[in-house]
Amino acid sequence: MLDMIPAQTQDELKRCFAIRHAVFCVERGVSPDIERDEWDVLSLGCDHFLIREEVADIGALRCRYAGDAAIIQRFCVLKEHRKSGVGRDALYAVEAHCKAAGYKRMELDAKFEVCGFYEKCGYTKISAPFEEAGIPHVKMAKELF
């Protein structure tokens, strides 16, 4: 059973950071200096979510808000839990959370290699490819109806 826990304490936020570090810095080689930024605090302009399955922390994501759009960032799932539907379920859960909060659109910068995953989840490419942290990305969006 998948749980999306909004980080409300420093401990929950640190657990999100630990998963992000394992995926982005250790596995993908992104520098810790650029993986963390000014949005990595508990604040009203940004929500952090810890993705849990049963009793284990298995993923994390951050959601920023701009106008009527919710912007997914730092979405990651530990390698051993990928290809099981967890990413899709987490994505749908955060979409439902954002829709209930009144947001009309989801946006994200997807690594180009996983665009197909997001397209299967209803996202559309809205930019040309660009590089972020040395990795090709493309901006994608989905309207929440």
Side-chain angles (χ1 to χ4, degrees):
M1 173 95 179
L2 180 79
D3 288 315
M4 293 284 290
I5 300 170
Q8 296 178 340
T9 67
Q10 286 300 322
D11 177 65
E12 290 167 339
L13 188 59
K14 286 179 186 178
R15 288 162 51 197
C16 290
F17 294 159
I19 291 169
R20 286 172 35 184
H21 182 82
V23 173
F24 296 124
C25 301
V26 176
E27 181 184 337
R28 306 238 177 192
V30 173
S31 169
D33 294 336
I34 60 173
E35 195 283 315
R36 299 270 299 269
D37 62 21
E38 70 273 10
W39 294 101
D40 286 327
V41 295
L42 296 173
S43 73
L44 295 177
C46 185
D47 287 324
H48 296 265
F49 294 88
L50 188 59
I51 303 166
R52 293 180 51 85
E53 191 171 57
E54 296 181 19
V55 297
D57 297 342
I58 63 166
L61 67 84
R62 166 174 98 182
C63 209
R64 286 192 320 126
Y65 307 103
D68 67 353
I71 305 162
I72 297 172
Q73 299 178 317
R74 307 302 199 265
F75 183 21
C76 59
V77 174
L78 294 173
K79 191 173 188 172
E80 59 271 21
H81 295 278
R82 295 180 202 148
K83 307 283 188 205
S84 67
V86 168
R88 178 197 62 233
D89 292 347
L91 191 59
Y92 291 160
V94 79
E95 289 170 6
H97 171 86
C98 292
K99 184 176 181 179
Y103 294 95
K104 307 284 185 218
R105 176 180 172 97
M106 301 299 296
E107 296 179 2
L108 54 88
D109 292 343
K111 288 184 289 304
F112 200 76
E113 67 189 53
V114 295
C115 286
F117 163 77
Y118 291 108
E119 288 171 331
K120 288 178 186 174
C121 294
Y123 287 74
T124 304
K125 294 176 191 168
I126 60 169
S127 79
F130 61 92
E131 191 173 297
E132 184 177 311
I135 301 167
H137 283 72
V138 65
K139 184 171 283 303
M140 300 186 82
K142 179 179 182 178
E143 300 300 321
L144 299 176
F145 299 104

